[in-house]
Short mmCIF file of all heavy atoms in Angstrom, two decimals:
data_model
loop_
_atom_site.label_atom_id
_atom_site.label_comp_id
_atom_site.label_asym_id
_atom_site.label_seq_id
_atom_site.Cartn_x
_atom_site.Cartn_y
_atom_site.Cartn_z
N MET A 1 -14.94 -30.46 -42.49
CA MET A 1 -16.27 -30.65 -43.05
C MET A 1 -16.96 -31.78 -42.29
O MET A 1 -16.39 -32.82 -42.07
CB MET A 1 -16.16 -30.97 -44.54
CG MET A 1 -17.49 -31.29 -45.17
SD MET A 1 -17.35 -31.63 -46.91
CE MET A 1 -17.90 -30.08 -47.55
N THR A 2 -18.18 -31.57 -41.89
CA THR A 2 -18.91 -32.58 -41.12
C THR A 2 -19.75 -33.50 -42.00
O THR A 2 -20.05 -34.61 -41.59
CB THR A 2 -19.82 -31.92 -40.07
OG1 THR A 2 -20.68 -30.99 -40.73
CG2 THR A 2 -19.00 -31.21 -39.02
N SER A 3 -20.12 -33.07 -43.17
CA SER A 3 -20.88 -33.93 -44.07
C SER A 3 -19.89 -34.80 -44.84
O SER A 3 -18.95 -34.31 -45.44
CB SER A 3 -21.69 -33.08 -45.05
OG SER A 3 -22.42 -33.91 -45.93
N THR A 4 -20.10 -36.11 -44.77
CA THR A 4 -19.22 -37.04 -45.48
C THR A 4 -20.05 -37.93 -46.38
O THR A 4 -21.28 -37.94 -46.31
CB THR A 4 -18.45 -37.92 -44.47
OG1 THR A 4 -19.40 -38.70 -43.75
CG2 THR A 4 -17.62 -37.09 -43.51
N GLU A 5 -19.37 -38.73 -47.19
CA GLU A 5 -20.09 -39.63 -48.10
C GLU A 5 -20.92 -40.65 -47.31
O GLU A 5 -22.03 -40.98 -47.68
CB GLU A 5 -19.10 -40.37 -48.99
CG GLU A 5 -19.77 -41.23 -50.04
CD GLU A 5 -18.77 -41.87 -50.99
OE1 GLU A 5 -17.71 -41.27 -51.25
OE2 GLU A 5 -19.09 -42.97 -51.47
N TRP A 6 -20.39 -41.12 -46.19
CA TRP A 6 -21.11 -42.13 -45.40
C TRP A 6 -22.06 -41.52 -44.37
O TRP A 6 -22.85 -42.24 -43.76
CB TRP A 6 -20.14 -43.10 -44.75
CG TRP A 6 -19.12 -42.44 -43.87
CD1 TRP A 6 -17.89 -41.97 -44.24
CD2 TRP A 6 -19.24 -42.15 -42.48
NE1 TRP A 6 -17.25 -41.41 -43.17
CE2 TRP A 6 -18.06 -41.51 -42.07
CE3 TRP A 6 -20.23 -42.36 -41.53
CZ2 TRP A 6 -17.85 -41.08 -40.77
CZ3 TRP A 6 -20.00 -41.94 -40.24
CH2 TRP A 6 -18.82 -41.32 -39.89
N ALA A 7 -21.97 -40.21 -44.14
CA ALA A 7 -22.89 -39.52 -43.23
C ALA A 7 -23.20 -38.13 -43.78
O ALA A 7 -22.76 -37.12 -43.24
CB ALA A 7 -22.28 -39.43 -41.84
N PRO A 8 -23.97 -38.09 -44.86
CA PRO A 8 -24.22 -36.79 -45.50
C PRO A 8 -25.22 -35.93 -44.73
O PRO A 8 -26.04 -36.43 -43.98
CB PRO A 8 -24.81 -37.19 -46.86
CG PRO A 8 -25.45 -38.51 -46.59
CD PRO A 8 -24.60 -39.19 -45.56
N TRP A 9 -25.09 -34.65 -44.94
CA TRP A 9 -26.07 -33.69 -44.42
C TRP A 9 -26.96 -33.27 -45.58
O TRP A 9 -26.53 -33.23 -46.73
CB TRP A 9 -25.36 -32.45 -43.88
CG TRP A 9 -24.74 -32.63 -42.53
CD1 TRP A 9 -24.29 -33.78 -41.97
CD2 TRP A 9 -24.49 -31.61 -41.59
NE1 TRP A 9 -23.77 -33.53 -40.73
CE2 TRP A 9 -23.88 -32.19 -40.47
CE3 TRP A 9 -24.71 -30.24 -41.56
CZ2 TRP A 9 -23.50 -31.47 -39.35
CZ3 TRP A 9 -24.32 -29.52 -40.46
CH2 TRP A 9 -23.74 -30.13 -39.35
N TYR A 10 -28.18 -32.94 -45.26
CA TYR A 10 -29.13 -32.49 -46.28
C TYR A 10 -29.69 -31.14 -45.85
O TYR A 10 -30.01 -30.95 -44.68
CB TYR A 10 -30.28 -33.49 -46.45
CG TYR A 10 -29.80 -34.83 -46.94
CD1 TYR A 10 -29.42 -35.81 -46.06
CD2 TYR A 10 -29.71 -35.09 -48.31
CE1 TYR A 10 -28.97 -37.05 -46.52
CE2 TYR A 10 -29.27 -36.30 -48.77
CZ TYR A 10 -28.89 -37.28 -47.86
OH TYR A 10 -28.44 -38.48 -48.32
N VAL A 11 -29.83 -30.24 -46.80
CA VAL A 11 -30.47 -28.95 -46.53
C VAL A 11 -31.91 -29.07 -46.99
O VAL A 11 -32.18 -29.34 -48.17
CB VAL A 11 -29.75 -27.81 -47.28
CG1 VAL A 11 -30.48 -26.50 -47.07
CG2 VAL A 11 -28.30 -27.72 -46.83
N ILE A 12 -32.82 -28.91 -46.04
CA ILE A 12 -34.24 -29.03 -46.35
C ILE A 12 -34.92 -27.71 -46.01
O ILE A 12 -34.91 -27.28 -44.86
CB ILE A 12 -34.89 -30.18 -45.54
CG1 ILE A 12 -34.24 -31.50 -45.94
CG2 ILE A 12 -36.39 -30.20 -45.76
CD1 ILE A 12 -34.72 -32.69 -45.15
N PRO A 13 -35.48 -27.05 -47.01
CA PRO A 13 -36.17 -25.78 -46.74
C PRO A 13 -37.34 -26.00 -45.79
O PRO A 13 -38.06 -26.99 -45.90
CB PRO A 13 -36.66 -25.33 -48.11
CG PRO A 13 -36.03 -26.22 -49.10
CD PRO A 13 -35.55 -27.43 -48.40
N ALA A 14 -37.52 -25.10 -44.86
CA ALA A 14 -38.58 -25.24 -43.87
C ALA A 14 -39.62 -24.12 -43.97
O ALA A 14 -40.31 -23.83 -43.01
CB ALA A 14 -37.98 -25.28 -42.48
N ASP A 15 -39.71 -23.51 -45.14
CA ASP A 15 -40.67 -22.42 -45.31
C ASP A 15 -42.11 -22.90 -45.23
O ASP A 15 -43.00 -22.17 -44.79
CB ASP A 15 -40.45 -21.73 -46.66
CG ASP A 15 -39.08 -21.08 -46.76
OD1 ASP A 15 -38.47 -20.82 -45.70
OD2 ASP A 15 -38.61 -20.86 -47.88
N HIS A 16 -42.33 -24.14 -45.68
CA HIS A 16 -43.67 -24.73 -45.65
C HIS A 16 -43.56 -26.11 -45.02
O HIS A 16 -42.84 -26.97 -45.54
CB HIS A 16 -44.25 -24.85 -47.06
CG HIS A 16 -44.32 -23.54 -47.78
ND1 HIS A 16 -45.26 -22.57 -47.48
CD2 HIS A 16 -43.56 -23.03 -48.77
CE1 HIS A 16 -45.06 -21.53 -48.26
NE2 HIS A 16 -44.03 -21.78 -49.05
N LYS A 17 -44.27 -26.32 -43.92
CA LYS A 17 -44.15 -27.59 -43.19
C LYS A 17 -44.48 -28.80 -44.06
O LYS A 17 -43.82 -29.83 -43.97
CB LYS A 17 -45.02 -27.58 -41.94
CG LYS A 17 -44.42 -26.76 -40.83
CD LYS A 17 -45.20 -27.02 -39.55
CE LYS A 17 -44.70 -26.12 -38.47
NZ LYS A 17 -43.62 -26.69 -37.71
N TRP A 18 -45.48 -28.69 -44.91
CA TRP A 18 -45.85 -29.83 -45.75
C TRP A 18 -44.70 -30.23 -46.66
O TRP A 18 -44.43 -31.41 -46.85
CB TRP A 18 -47.11 -29.54 -46.56
CG TRP A 18 -46.96 -28.43 -47.57
CD1 TRP A 18 -47.21 -27.11 -47.38
CD2 TRP A 18 -46.50 -28.57 -48.92
NE1 TRP A 18 -46.93 -26.41 -48.53
CE2 TRP A 18 -46.49 -27.28 -49.49
CE3 TRP A 18 -46.10 -29.64 -49.70
CZ2 TRP A 18 -46.09 -27.05 -50.80
CZ3 TRP A 18 -45.70 -29.42 -51.01
CH2 TRP A 18 -45.70 -28.13 -51.55
N PHE A 19 -43.99 -29.25 -47.20
CA PHE A 19 -42.86 -29.57 -48.08
C PHE A 19 -41.69 -30.10 -47.27
O PHE A 19 -41.00 -31.04 -47.68
CB PHE A 19 -42.43 -28.35 -48.90
CG PHE A 19 -41.29 -28.67 -49.81
CD1 PHE A 19 -41.52 -29.32 -51.01
CD2 PHE A 19 -39.98 -28.35 -49.46
CE1 PHE A 19 -40.45 -29.65 -51.85
CE2 PHE A 19 -38.92 -28.67 -50.28
CZ PHE A 19 -39.16 -29.32 -51.49
N GLU A 20 -41.45 -29.50 -46.11
CA GLU A 20 -40.35 -29.95 -45.24
C GLU A 20 -40.53 -31.43 -44.90
O GLU A 20 -39.57 -32.21 -44.96
CB GLU A 20 -40.35 -29.11 -43.96
CG GLU A 20 -39.41 -29.58 -42.89
CD GLU A 20 -39.64 -28.86 -41.58
OE1 GLU A 20 -40.49 -27.97 -41.49
OE2 GLU A 20 -38.93 -29.22 -40.61
N ARG A 21 -41.73 -31.82 -44.55
CA ARG A 21 -42.00 -33.21 -44.17
C ARG A 21 -41.83 -34.16 -45.36
O ARG A 21 -41.29 -35.25 -45.22
CB ARG A 21 -43.39 -33.32 -43.57
CG ARG A 21 -43.44 -32.63 -42.22
CD ARG A 21 -44.81 -32.67 -41.62
NE ARG A 21 -44.80 -31.99 -40.31
CZ ARG A 21 -45.76 -31.26 -39.84
NH1 ARG A 21 -46.86 -31.08 -40.55
NH2 ARG A 21 -45.67 -30.69 -38.66
N ILE A 22 -42.29 -33.76 -46.53
CA ILE A 22 -42.12 -34.60 -47.71
C ILE A 22 -40.65 -34.75 -48.05
O ILE A 22 -40.17 -35.85 -48.36
CB ILE A 22 -42.91 -34.02 -48.92
CG1 ILE A 22 -44.40 -34.16 -48.68
CG2 ILE A 22 -42.51 -34.71 -50.22
CD1 ILE A 22 -45.26 -33.45 -49.69
N ALA A 23 -39.89 -33.66 -47.99
CA ALA A 23 -38.47 -33.71 -48.32
C ALA A 23 -37.71 -34.59 -47.33
O ALA A 23 -36.86 -35.40 -47.73
CB ALA A 23 -37.88 -32.29 -48.34
N ALA A 24 -38.00 -34.46 -46.04
CA ALA A 24 -37.34 -35.28 -45.03
C ALA A 24 -37.70 -36.76 -45.22
O ALA A 24 -36.82 -37.64 -45.13
CB ALA A 24 -37.72 -34.82 -43.63
N ALA A 25 -38.95 -37.03 -45.51
CA ALA A 25 -39.37 -38.42 -45.74
C ALA A 25 -38.67 -39.00 -46.97
O ALA A 25 -38.27 -40.17 -46.97
CB ALA A 25 -40.88 -38.49 -45.91
N ALA A 26 -38.49 -38.19 -48.00
CA ALA A 26 -37.81 -38.66 -49.21
C ALA A 26 -36.37 -39.04 -48.92
O ALA A 26 -35.86 -40.03 -49.45
CB ALA A 26 -37.88 -37.59 -50.30
N VAL A 27 -35.70 -38.26 -48.08
CA VAL A 27 -34.32 -38.58 -47.69
C VAL A 27 -34.27 -39.91 -46.96
O VAL A 27 -33.42 -40.77 -47.22
CB VAL A 27 -33.71 -37.44 -46.83
CG1 VAL A 27 -32.39 -37.86 -46.21
CG2 VAL A 27 -33.54 -36.18 -47.66
N VAL A 28 -35.20 -40.12 -46.03
CA VAL A 28 -35.23 -41.36 -45.26
C VAL A 28 -35.53 -42.56 -46.17
O VAL A 28 -34.86 -43.60 -46.10
CB VAL A 28 -36.25 -41.27 -44.11
CG1 VAL A 28 -36.44 -42.61 -43.44
CG2 VAL A 28 -35.82 -40.22 -43.10
N VAL A 29 -36.51 -42.42 -47.03
CA VAL A 29 -36.87 -43.51 -47.95
C VAL A 29 -35.69 -43.85 -48.86
O VAL A 29 -35.38 -45.03 -49.09
CB VAL A 29 -38.13 -43.14 -48.78
CG1 VAL A 29 -38.34 -44.12 -49.93
CG2 VAL A 29 -39.35 -43.10 -47.88
N ASP A 30 -35.01 -42.84 -49.36
CA ASP A 30 -33.85 -43.07 -50.23
C ASP A 30 -32.75 -43.82 -49.47
O ASP A 30 -32.17 -44.78 -49.99
CB ASP A 30 -33.32 -41.74 -50.77
CG ASP A 30 -32.18 -41.93 -51.73
OD1 ASP A 30 -32.35 -42.67 -52.73
OD2 ASP A 30 -31.10 -41.36 -51.48
N ALA A 31 -32.48 -43.41 -48.24
CA ALA A 31 -31.44 -44.07 -47.44
C ALA A 31 -31.81 -45.52 -47.17
O ALA A 31 -30.96 -46.42 -47.28
CB ALA A 31 -31.21 -43.32 -46.13
N LEU A 32 -33.06 -45.77 -46.83
CA LEU A 32 -33.49 -47.15 -46.57
C LEU A 32 -33.42 -48.01 -47.83
O LEU A 32 -33.04 -49.18 -47.77
CB LEU A 32 -34.91 -47.17 -46.00
CG LEU A 32 -35.03 -46.69 -44.56
CD1 LEU A 32 -36.50 -46.57 -44.16
CD2 LEU A 32 -34.31 -47.63 -43.61
N ALA A 33 -33.78 -47.44 -48.96
CA ALA A 33 -33.70 -48.19 -50.22
C ALA A 33 -32.26 -48.56 -50.54
O ALA A 33 -31.99 -49.67 -51.03
CB ALA A 33 -34.31 -47.38 -51.36
N LYS A 34 -31.33 -47.67 -50.24
CA LYS A 34 -29.92 -47.94 -50.52
C LYS A 34 -29.33 -49.03 -49.63
O LYS A 34 -28.52 -49.83 -50.08
CB LYS A 34 -29.09 -46.65 -50.38
CG LYS A 34 -29.30 -45.68 -51.52
CD LYS A 34 -28.50 -44.42 -51.32
CE LYS A 34 -28.75 -43.44 -52.45
NZ LYS A 34 -28.09 -42.15 -52.23
N ILE A 35 -29.73 -49.06 -48.35
CA ILE A 35 -29.14 -50.05 -47.45
C ILE A 35 -29.91 -51.37 -47.46
O ILE A 35 -29.40 -52.38 -47.00
CB ILE A 35 -29.00 -49.53 -46.00
CG1 ILE A 35 -30.36 -49.24 -45.39
CG2 ILE A 35 -28.09 -48.33 -45.95
CD1 ILE A 35 -30.30 -48.90 -43.91
N ASP A 36 -31.14 -51.36 -47.98
CA ASP A 36 -31.95 -52.57 -48.11
C ASP A 36 -31.97 -53.38 -46.81
O ASP A 36 -31.48 -54.51 -46.76
CB ASP A 36 -31.44 -53.42 -49.27
CG ASP A 36 -32.38 -54.54 -49.63
OD1 ASP A 36 -33.59 -54.43 -49.33
OD2 ASP A 36 -31.92 -55.54 -50.19
N PRO A 37 -32.52 -52.81 -45.72
CA PRO A 37 -32.50 -53.51 -44.43
C PRO A 37 -33.34 -54.77 -44.45
O PRO A 37 -34.37 -54.84 -45.12
CB PRO A 37 -33.07 -52.48 -43.46
CG PRO A 37 -33.95 -51.62 -44.31
CD PRO A 37 -33.28 -51.57 -45.66
N ARG A 38 -32.86 -55.78 -43.72
CA ARG A 38 -33.59 -57.05 -43.62
C ARG A 38 -33.49 -57.56 -42.19
O ARG A 38 -32.56 -57.24 -41.47
CB ARG A 38 -32.99 -58.08 -44.56
CG ARG A 38 -33.07 -57.67 -46.02
CD ARG A 38 -32.41 -58.72 -46.91
NE ARG A 38 -32.38 -58.26 -48.28
CZ ARG A 38 -33.35 -58.47 -49.16
NH1 ARG A 38 -34.43 -59.12 -48.79
NH2 ARG A 38 -33.26 -58.03 -50.38
N TYR A 39 -34.48 -58.37 -41.82
CA TYR A 39 -34.42 -59.00 -40.51
C TYR A 39 -33.25 -59.98 -40.50
O TYR A 39 -32.99 -60.66 -41.50
CB TYR A 39 -35.72 -59.75 -40.21
CG TYR A 39 -36.86 -58.85 -39.83
CD1 TYR A 39 -37.88 -58.60 -40.72
CD2 TYR A 39 -36.90 -58.24 -38.58
CE1 TYR A 39 -38.93 -57.76 -40.38
CE2 TYR A 39 -37.94 -57.41 -38.23
CZ TYR A 39 -38.96 -57.18 -39.13
OH TYR A 39 -39.99 -56.36 -38.79
N PRO A 40 -32.56 -60.09 -39.37
CA PRO A 40 -31.45 -61.04 -39.31
C PRO A 40 -31.99 -62.47 -39.31
O PRO A 40 -33.10 -62.74 -38.85
CB PRO A 40 -30.78 -60.72 -37.98
CG PRO A 40 -31.82 -60.03 -37.17
CD PRO A 40 -32.71 -59.33 -38.14
N THR A 41 -31.20 -63.37 -39.85
CA THR A 41 -31.58 -64.78 -39.82
C THR A 41 -30.98 -65.42 -38.57
O THR A 41 -29.91 -65.01 -38.11
CB THR A 41 -31.08 -65.52 -41.07
OG1 THR A 41 -29.67 -65.38 -41.15
CG2 THR A 41 -31.72 -64.95 -42.33
N THR A 42 -31.67 -66.40 -38.03
CA THR A 42 -31.18 -67.09 -36.84
C THR A 42 -31.29 -68.59 -37.03
O THR A 42 -32.14 -69.08 -37.79
CB THR A 42 -31.99 -66.70 -35.59
OG1 THR A 42 -33.37 -66.99 -35.83
CG2 THR A 42 -31.84 -65.23 -35.25
N THR A 43 -30.43 -69.30 -36.34
CA THR A 43 -30.49 -70.75 -36.36
C THR A 43 -31.50 -71.21 -35.32
O THR A 43 -31.86 -70.43 -34.42
CB THR A 43 -29.12 -71.35 -36.02
OG1 THR A 43 -28.78 -70.99 -34.68
CG2 THR A 43 -28.03 -70.84 -36.99
N PRO A 44 -31.95 -72.44 -35.40
CA PRO A 44 -32.87 -72.94 -34.37
C PRO A 44 -32.27 -72.83 -32.96
O PRO A 44 -32.98 -72.51 -32.01
CB PRO A 44 -33.10 -74.40 -34.77
CG PRO A 44 -32.92 -74.40 -36.26
CD PRO A 44 -31.81 -73.41 -36.49
N GLN A 45 -30.97 -73.05 -32.83
CA GLN A 45 -30.32 -72.94 -31.51
C GLN A 45 -30.37 -71.49 -31.01
O GLN A 45 -30.64 -71.24 -29.84
CB GLN A 45 -28.86 -73.43 -31.59
CG GLN A 45 -28.09 -73.28 -30.30
CD GLN A 45 -28.67 -74.09 -29.15
OE1 GLN A 45 -29.27 -75.14 -29.36
NE2 GLN A 45 -28.53 -73.60 -27.94
N GLN A 46 -30.11 -70.54 -31.89
CA GLN A 46 -30.17 -69.13 -31.49
C GLN A 46 -31.58 -68.74 -31.07
O GLN A 46 -31.76 -68.00 -30.10
CB GLN A 46 -29.69 -68.23 -32.64
CG GLN A 46 -28.21 -68.31 -32.90
CD GLN A 46 -27.81 -67.60 -34.18
OE1 GLN A 46 -28.55 -67.62 -35.18
NE2 GLN A 46 -26.67 -66.95 -34.15
N ARG A 47 -32.59 -69.22 -31.79
CA ARG A 47 -33.98 -68.92 -31.41
C ARG A 47 -34.31 -69.49 -30.04
O ARG A 47 -34.98 -68.85 -29.23
CB ARG A 47 -34.95 -69.45 -32.47
CG ARG A 47 -34.99 -68.58 -33.72
CD ARG A 47 -36.15 -68.93 -34.63
NE ARG A 47 -36.03 -70.24 -35.25
CZ ARG A 47 -35.33 -70.50 -36.35
NH1 ARG A 47 -34.68 -69.51 -36.96
NH2 ARG A 47 -35.27 -71.70 -36.85
N LYS A 48 -33.81 -70.68 -29.77
CA LYS A 48 -34.02 -71.31 -28.47
C LYS A 48 -33.39 -70.47 -27.36
O LYS A 48 -34.00 -70.24 -26.31
CB LYS A 48 -33.43 -72.72 -28.49
CG LYS A 48 -33.77 -73.58 -27.34
CD LYS A 48 -33.18 -74.97 -27.57
CE LYS A 48 -33.55 -75.91 -26.45
NZ LYS A 48 -33.02 -77.26 -26.68
N GLU A 49 -32.16 -69.99 -27.59
CA GLU A 49 -31.47 -69.15 -26.61
C GLU A 49 -32.19 -67.82 -26.41
O GLU A 49 -32.30 -67.33 -25.28
CB GLU A 49 -30.02 -68.91 -27.04
CG GLU A 49 -29.16 -70.16 -27.00
CD GLU A 49 -27.81 -69.98 -27.66
OE1 GLU A 49 -27.50 -68.85 -28.10
OE2 GLU A 49 -27.07 -70.97 -27.74
N LEU A 50 -32.68 -67.24 -27.47
CA LEU A 50 -33.42 -65.98 -27.37
C LEU A 50 -34.71 -66.16 -26.58
O LEU A 50 -35.09 -65.32 -25.77
CB LEU A 50 -33.73 -65.42 -28.76
CG LEU A 50 -32.54 -64.81 -29.51
CD1 LEU A 50 -32.90 -64.55 -30.96
CD2 LEU A 50 -32.10 -63.53 -28.83
N GLU A 51 -35.39 -67.26 -26.81
CA GLU A 51 -36.63 -67.53 -26.08
C GLU A 51 -36.35 -67.73 -24.60
O GLU A 51 -37.10 -67.25 -23.74
CB GLU A 51 -37.35 -68.74 -26.67
CG GLU A 51 -38.67 -69.06 -26.01
CD GLU A 51 -39.66 -67.92 -26.00
OE1 GLU A 51 -39.72 -67.15 -26.98
OE2 GLU A 51 -40.40 -67.78 -25.00
N GLN A 52 -35.26 -68.40 -24.27
CA GLN A 52 -34.88 -68.57 -22.87
C GLN A 52 -34.58 -67.22 -22.23
O GLN A 52 -35.03 -66.93 -21.11
CB GLN A 52 -33.66 -69.50 -22.75
CG GLN A 52 -33.14 -69.66 -21.35
CD GLN A 52 -34.16 -70.26 -20.40
OE1 GLN A 52 -35.00 -71.07 -20.81
NE2 GLN A 52 -34.11 -69.88 -19.15
N ALA A 53 -33.84 -66.36 -22.92
CA ALA A 53 -33.52 -65.03 -22.40
C ALA A 53 -34.81 -64.22 -22.21
O ALA A 53 -34.96 -63.51 -21.21
CB ALA A 53 -32.57 -64.30 -23.34
N ARG A 54 -35.75 -64.36 -23.13
CA ARG A 54 -37.02 -63.65 -23.03
C ARG A 54 -37.78 -64.09 -21.78
O ARG A 54 -38.30 -63.26 -21.03
CB ARG A 54 -37.86 -63.92 -24.28
CG ARG A 54 -39.22 -63.27 -24.29
CD ARG A 54 -39.97 -63.62 -25.59
NE ARG A 54 -41.29 -63.09 -25.57
CZ ARG A 54 -42.35 -63.69 -25.01
NH1 ARG A 54 -42.21 -64.87 -24.45
NH2 ARG A 54 -43.53 -63.12 -25.04
N ARG A 55 -37.84 -65.40 -21.55
CA ARG A 55 -38.53 -65.90 -20.36
C ARG A 55 -37.88 -65.39 -19.08
O ARG A 55 -38.57 -65.01 -18.13
CB ARG A 55 -38.55 -67.44 -20.37
CG ARG A 55 -39.59 -68.02 -21.31
CD ARG A 55 -39.81 -69.50 -21.05
NE ARG A 55 -38.61 -70.30 -21.28
CZ ARG A 55 -38.26 -70.83 -22.45
NH1 ARG A 55 -39.03 -70.63 -23.50
NH2 ARG A 55 -37.17 -71.53 -22.57
N GLU A 56 -36.55 -65.34 -19.06
CA GLU A 56 -35.84 -64.83 -17.88
C GLU A 56 -36.15 -63.36 -17.65
O GLU A 56 -36.39 -62.94 -16.52
CB GLU A 56 -34.33 -65.05 -18.04
CG GLU A 56 -33.91 -66.50 -17.96
CD GLU A 56 -32.44 -66.70 -18.27
OE1 GLU A 56 -31.68 -65.71 -18.31
OE2 GLU A 56 -32.04 -67.86 -18.47
N LEU A 57 -36.14 -62.57 -18.71
CA LEU A 57 -36.43 -61.14 -18.57
C LEU A 57 -37.87 -60.89 -18.13
O LEU A 57 -38.13 -60.02 -17.31
CB LEU A 57 -36.14 -60.41 -19.89
CG LEU A 57 -34.66 -60.28 -20.26
CD1 LEU A 57 -34.52 -59.77 -21.69
CD2 LEU A 57 -33.96 -59.36 -19.29
N LEU A 58 -38.80 -61.67 -18.67
CA LEU A 58 -40.19 -61.52 -18.25
C LEU A 58 -40.35 -61.89 -16.78
O LEU A 58 -41.12 -61.27 -16.06
CB LEU A 58 -41.11 -62.36 -19.13
CG LEU A 58 -41.34 -61.83 -20.54
CD1 LEU A 58 -42.14 -62.84 -21.37
CD2 LEU A 58 -42.04 -60.49 -20.52
N GLY A 59 -39.61 -62.89 -16.34
CA GLY A 59 -39.65 -63.28 -14.94
C GLY A 59 -39.12 -62.18 -14.04
O GLY A 59 -39.66 -61.91 -12.95
N GLU A 60 -38.05 -61.49 -14.47
CA GLU A 60 -37.50 -60.37 -13.70
C GLU A 60 -38.51 -59.23 -13.62
O GLU A 60 -38.65 -58.59 -12.60
CB GLU A 60 -36.21 -59.87 -14.33
CG GLU A 60 -35.03 -60.80 -14.16
CD GLU A 60 -33.78 -60.28 -14.85
OE1 GLU A 60 -33.79 -59.12 -15.32
OE2 GLU A 60 -32.80 -61.03 -14.92
N GLU A 61 -39.21 -58.97 -14.70
CA GLU A 61 -40.19 -57.88 -14.75
C GLU A 61 -41.32 -58.16 -13.75
O GLU A 61 -41.80 -57.25 -13.09
CB GLU A 61 -40.76 -57.74 -16.16
CG GLU A 61 -41.74 -56.63 -16.33
CD GLU A 61 -41.15 -55.25 -16.12
OE1 GLU A 61 -39.95 -55.07 -16.37
OE2 GLU A 61 -41.90 -54.34 -15.72
N ARG A 62 -41.74 -59.39 -13.65
CA ARG A 62 -42.83 -59.73 -12.74
C ARG A 62 -42.43 -59.60 -11.28
O ARG A 62 -43.25 -59.36 -10.42
CB ARG A 62 -43.30 -61.16 -13.02
CG ARG A 62 -44.03 -61.28 -14.32
CD ARG A 62 -44.63 -62.66 -14.52
NE ARG A 62 -45.16 -62.75 -15.85
CZ ARG A 62 -44.76 -63.64 -16.77
NH1 ARG A 62 -43.86 -64.53 -16.47
NH2 ARG A 62 -45.29 -63.63 -17.96
N ARG A 63 -41.12 -59.76 -10.99
CA ARG A 63 -40.65 -59.68 -9.61
C ARG A 63 -40.53 -58.24 -9.11
O ARG A 63 -40.39 -58.01 -7.94
CB ARG A 63 -39.30 -60.37 -9.47
CG ARG A 63 -39.43 -61.89 -9.50
CD ARG A 63 -38.08 -62.48 -9.38
NE ARG A 63 -37.58 -62.57 -10.75
CZ ARG A 63 -36.63 -63.36 -11.16
NH1 ARG A 63 -36.03 -64.13 -10.31
NH2 ARG A 63 -36.27 -63.41 -12.39
N ARG A 64 -40.60 -57.29 -9.97
CA ARG A 64 -40.44 -55.89 -9.56
C ARG A 64 -41.63 -55.38 -8.83
O ARG A 64 -42.70 -55.60 -8.86
CB ARG A 64 -40.17 -54.99 -10.77
CG ARG A 64 -38.81 -55.19 -11.32
CD ARG A 64 -38.57 -54.19 -12.40
NE ARG A 64 -37.28 -54.44 -13.01
CZ ARG A 64 -36.81 -53.76 -14.01
NH1 ARG A 64 -37.49 -52.80 -14.53
NH2 ARG A 64 -35.64 -54.02 -14.51
#
């Protein structure tokens, strides 16, 4: 069986596109509500390192 509790499959009727889209959106909204995604938190040191990496990457892009 390919559908599991942690990776379920959903059967969505496709007879009417408007209903298909609403049903698919409902599945996505339900999944997001269950996992409650949040932005990761960072320390000031991590933010400093990320900003340095960003500057380096932007510098590489300009050299191309």
Side-chain angles (χ1 to χ4, degrees):
M1 176 179 258
T2 55
S3 180
T4 63
E5 185 175 329
W6 57 270
W9 282 27
Y10 297 90
V11 176
I12 298 176
D15 297 339
H16 303 286
K17 284 191 185 271
W18 65 269
F19 181 79
E20 172 190 358
R21 291 177 180 143
I22 291 172
V27 169
V28 172
V29 168
D30 183 56
L32 288 172
K34 286 179 182 174
I35 64 172
D36 191 24
R38 298 178 186 271
Y39 284 106
T41 57
T42 57
T43 65
Q45 177 63 29
Q46 289 170 323
R47 284 192 292 277
K48 190 176 183 179
E49 292 170 4
L50 286 168
E51 182 56 36
Q52 176 61 31
R54 179 181 176 274
R55 282 194 297 271
E56 290 174 13
L57 289 170
L58 286 173
E60 288 178 8
E61 182 65 28
R62 289 186 187 120
R63 285 179 272 201
R64 288 186 184 178

